[in-house]
Amino acid sequence: MHVGLEHYLAVSALLFALGLFGVLVRRNLLVIYMSLELMLNAANLALVSFSSYKNNPDGQVLVFFIISVAAAEVAVGLALIVALYRKRKTTHVEDLTTMKL
Amino acid sequence: MNLSLISLEICVVALGMALLLADLWLPPGRKRLLGYAAAAGLGLLLVANLGGFGVFGSTGTAFGGMFVQDGLAIFFKRFFLLAAILVLLMAIEFSDRISAGIAEYYSLIVFALAGMLFAASANDFALLFVSLELITVTFYVLTSFQRARLVSLEAGVKYLVIGALSTAFTVFGIALVYGISGRLNFGELAGVAGQFGDNKIFLFGLLLVLTGLGFKIVAFPFQIWAPDVYQGAPTPTAAFLAIGSKAAGFVLLLRVLFTAVPDITAQWTNLLIVFSAVTILYGNLCAIPQRNVKRLLGYSSVAHAGYLLLGVAAMSTAGQDRSAGGSAMLFYLSGYLFTVLAAFTVITLVMRHLESEDISGLAGLNQRSPLLAATMTLAMVSLAGIPPLAGFFGKFLLLKALIEQGAANPGCYCLAFTAVAGIVISLYYYFGVIRAIYWSPGPAAAPPIAVSRPIRISIYVCIAGMFYLGLFPGVMVTVTTEAVKALNR
């Protein structure tokens, strides 16, 4: 079977939808954060496949930026979730109810 | 490649790193004073930039058209520098409530400023993404900086999840736009965007990019994080979010809508009108029952994003000459800078020893410090849009620009009516704050509030700005009209 651009895009769209579903449905902060990373990587896959099939390297360069920024985001994000866990002893979103009106 | 164009950004990043290094050698008692060094450094850069000395005055593009230094970029860079200086002064006043790492707090403000400066010049989706993320990631840390307070951490986590979600949307949108058009540069995209006007995937990608920007500017329906984050974050962070992060979102929005895809934006006027109207109503209606001042300002920030979007809607209807709506928007943002920073400075000083920022904490402020009471009153009056302050003239210009477009699109009249209704609603809750200041009995024997000299200067700057823009708007209107010429075709 020949693997074309549309196959890559279908996988990318599927990953993105899975990630979004995870963010909306799951209740654990760490799993939500994993799903967010899945969404970013879905976009990376789309960028790389477009770039490769169009013979245009711009997209692949952008992917390098996205990967490095995502790494910085994960470093900050996990530190934040750990700090919250130490204080609150939970990583469930239902328990984040200090501020309400 | 033209490195001299980014000399301002290089100086700001170097200043941030110098602050981090100085932190290693200074004794703990002196670290707080680093904030004055940072503010002075940024002040020098602002003066150099205003004077247009040497490399700071040049315009052009760099890095293969990715970075553009034009009137709009220069206007926003001065705007961000001024905002960062006032926020740094506020942060020094706030430093007794930050248990450790105050020097890092200062340097993170400076790094967020660097992100905003790059955003002002972004002319390519790659730079748009990187500058947006530089702002967002530093704000994750700035928001949760009071690690001992649960509310601060909670606000940080909420900002993190929603921020990362909007980043994912933006990146996927960029991938789709790039996939269909093969371009990342705004200038090149403008040449080909017209032919993709009915390509569903291209339009969907653009909408996803706008989602990410909507998160930054706090527009409905991407505003859910704002009230909680404004309430939980340290006050200087909330102030910088309200003015810096929002303005960065708006400058990127202007670039994407009017430099990259002007033909498609012209068809999206109705969409912008609906978003603007819903944002105005949502922000103003939800602000009514609030009892926490910072949360109230969070909802008010949503409403003000709506007023600013009204200017964008007016710009999208105007065909060739977009200067009326654009200059009104920039004017409004300038007025908002002085107003909102004045309000947050007062909150920083008055709520120092209180557990939460309830409106009742302002009671009797008139006896404790007439200067602060007057400042808060002026800020609320300006936010509500009452003459003769900056907020009034900004709203007037925005509505004027919108109604001029009414002949082209009747929806503009509906939006103008909604905006006026929103302003009337907002009078109620802004005056609730003023009532608490002057007509509520304060706690017995509350000590007068000491106002240090630098904070006094920053308060005078804010008051002068509010009055100057309201009474003598002519100069500023000329400046803003000149700045938005970059967006005309």
Side-chain angles (χ1 to χ4, degrees):
Chain A
M1 187 183 95
H2 174 69
V3 180
L5 178 59
E6 56 271 30
H7 295 93
Y8 284 107
L9 292 183
V11 172
S12 159
L14 204 63
L15 279 178
F16 191 81
L18 261 179
L20 186 58
F21 187 70
V23 172
L24 296 176
V25 172
R26 299 303 294 264
R27 284 286 154 262
N28 186 309
L29 273 175
L30 285 168
V31 181
I32 289 179
Y33 212 58
M34 261 162 55
S35 310
L36 286 167
E37 291 304 311
L38 201 62
M39 290 170 80
L40 275 182
N41 284 321
N44 281 344
L45 181 62
L47 273 171
V48 170
S49 43
F50 275 130
S51 174
S52 154
Y53 276 82
K54 285 185 179 264
N55 277 327
N56 177 337
D58 289 359
Q60 301 188 29
V61 176
L62 181 57
V63 167
F64 278 110
F65 282 106
I66 296 175
I67 290 175
S68 47
V69 166
E73 203 168 27
V74 168
V76 171
L78 287 182
L80 197 47
I81 293 174
V82 168
L84 181 79
Y85 181 78
R86 287 200 181 136
K87 193 90 189 150
R88 190 78 179 75
K89 295 287 174 233
T90 176
T91 54
H92 274 258
V93 283
E94 281 104 349
D95 300 326
L96 301 182
T97 50
T98 320
M99 288 171 286
K100 255 187 184 171
L101 183 94
Chain B
M1 188 156 121
N2 190 350
L3 262 183
S4 69
L5 282 181
I6 62 163
S7 43
L8 178 64
E9 283 81 357
I10 293 175
C11 291
V12 168
V13 172
L15 178 68
M17 291 182 180
L19 288 174
L20 280 181
L21 279 179
D23 181 38
L24 292 176
W25 287 295
L26 275 181
R30 308 299 273 298
K31 283 184 179 164
R32 179 174 171 269
L33 303 176
L34 266 182
Y36 290 121
L42 293 182
L44 279 180
L45 287 175
L46 179 62
V47 169
N49 201 305
L50 284 172
F53 301 129
V55 287
F56 291 121
S58 49
T59 54
T61 58
F63 300 102
M66 192 183 257
F67 182 96
V68 59
Q69 182 86 315
D70 53 10
L72 189 70
I74 293 176
F75 175 86
F76 269 99
K77 283 177 187 183
R78 291 169 183 168
F79 178 93
F80 291 134
L81 279 171
L82 181 61
I85 294 170
L86 295 174
V87 168
L88 275 170
L89 292 176
M90 205 189 298
I92 298 167
E93 210 51 44
F94 195 81
S95 59
D96 53 342
R97 277 159 281 179
I98 289 176
S99 49
I102 184 68
E104 285 147 36
Y105 191 74
Y106 298 144
S107 65
L108 279 169
I109 291 178
V110 173
F111 286 132
L113 168 68
M116 290 166 196
L117 296 179
F118 276 115
S121 283
N123 198 35
D124 185 295
F125 276 118
L127 188 55
L128 173 139
F129 169 73
V130 174
S131 57
L132 212 55
E133 282 306 288
L134 182 52
I135 303 172
T136 314
V137 175
T138 43
F139 267 111
Y140 295 153
V141 189
L142 285 172
T143 306
S144 47
F145 215 86
Q146 287 177 298
R147 266 172 308 181
R149 286 181 75 213
L150 186 59
V151 273
S152 180
L153 283 175
E154 222 182 275
V157 168
K158 284 176 182 168
Y159 192 52
L160 173 77
V161 170
I162 312 257
L165 188 65
S166 83
T167 304
F169 278 128
T170 314
V171 174
F172 203 71
I174 293 175
L176 293 182
V177 169
Y178 167 74
I180 301 299
S181 67
R183 308 283 196 287
L184 284 173
N185 188 289
F186 293 168
E188 292 172 20
L189 190 60
V192 295
Q195 69 201 62
F196 300 116
D198 47 4
N199 186 323
K200 293 274 186 330
I201 299 180
F202 184 80
L203 294 179
F204 183 61
L206 268 182
L207 276 180
L208 286 180
V209 173
L210 294 189
T211 307
L213 296 177
F215 160 79
K216 278 259 131 276
I217 63 174
V218 215
F220 187 86
F222 320 110
Q223 89 303 341
I224 28 173
W225 58 276
D228 282 0
V229 172
Y230 277 55
Q231 181 185 347
T235 314
T237 306
F240 210 27
L241 262 180
I243 188 68
S245 168
K246 184 192 288 270
F250 268 106
V251 65
L252 288 172
L253 187 70
L254 289 178
R255 295 261 190 221
V256 170
L257 287 180
F258 300 108
T259 308
V261 290
D263 301 315
I264 294 171
T265 308
Q267 302 162 14
W268 278 1
T269 308
N270 287 331
L271 185 75
L272 288 166
I273 287 178
V274 170
F275 271 121
S276 167
V278 177
T279 309
I280 292 174
L281 285 181
Y282 179 90
N284 281 321
L285 289 175
C286 289
I288 291 175
Q290 302 306 325
R291 296 305 305 157
N292 181 300
V293 191
K294 273 160 78 183
R295 200 175 175 84
L296 184 132
L297 283 173
Y299 279 112
S300 135
S301 159
V302 177
H304 287 278
Y307 298 134
L308 287 160
L309 272 177
L310 184 154
V312 180
M315 284 172 85
S316 71
T317 338
Q320 295 297 317
D321 185 24
R322 306 199 179 92
S323 50
S327 80
M329 254 192 71
L330 299 198
F331 187 94
Y332 194 82
L333 267 174
S334 317
Y336 189 63
L337 182 149
F338 294 115
T339 312
V340 98
L341 288 180
F344 276 109
T345 306
V346 174
I347 293 174
T348 308
L349 291 170
V350 178
M351 311 285 193
R352 174 166 302 194
H353 301 296
L354 299 178
E355 200 45 42
S356 74
E357 290 90 0
D358 198 84
I359 289 185
S360 59
L362 289 170
L365 180 61
N366 188 30
Q367 274 95 43
R368 300 173 66 196
S369 171
L371 171 68
L372 294 183
T375 313
M376 194 67 177
T377 308
L378 285 174
M380 290 299 133
V381 166
S382 176
L383 281 175
I386 292 171
L389 294 171
F392 163 74
F393 209 80
K395 287 193 176 71
F396 173 77
L397 285 176
L398 280 172
L399 286 174
K400 180 165 159 277
L402 186 71
I403 288 171
E404 274 170 6
Q405 303 304 328
N409 187 336
C412 291
Y413 291 127
C414 299
L415 178 56
F417 177 74
T418 316
V420 172
I423 294 169
V424 173
I425 298 170
S426 73
L427 290 176
Y428 173 75
Y429 60 84
Y430 288 132
F431 277 82
V433 175
I434 298 177
R435 195 181 57 204
I437 294 175
Y438 287 99
W439 287 284
S440 298
I449 300 167
V451 184
S452 70
R453 181 166 300 169
I455 276 292
R456 197 176 285 268
I457 294 174
S458 107
I459 284 178
Y460 287 148
V461 167
C462 291
I463 293 180
M466 280 189 264
F467 271 110
Y468 180 73
L469 291 183
L471 292 174
F472 310 102
V475 179
M476 196 62 192
V477 170
T478 323
V479 171
T480 52
T481 313
E482 200 59 37
V484 288
K485 279 203 177 135
L487 295 175
N488 289 336
R489 264 182 281 187

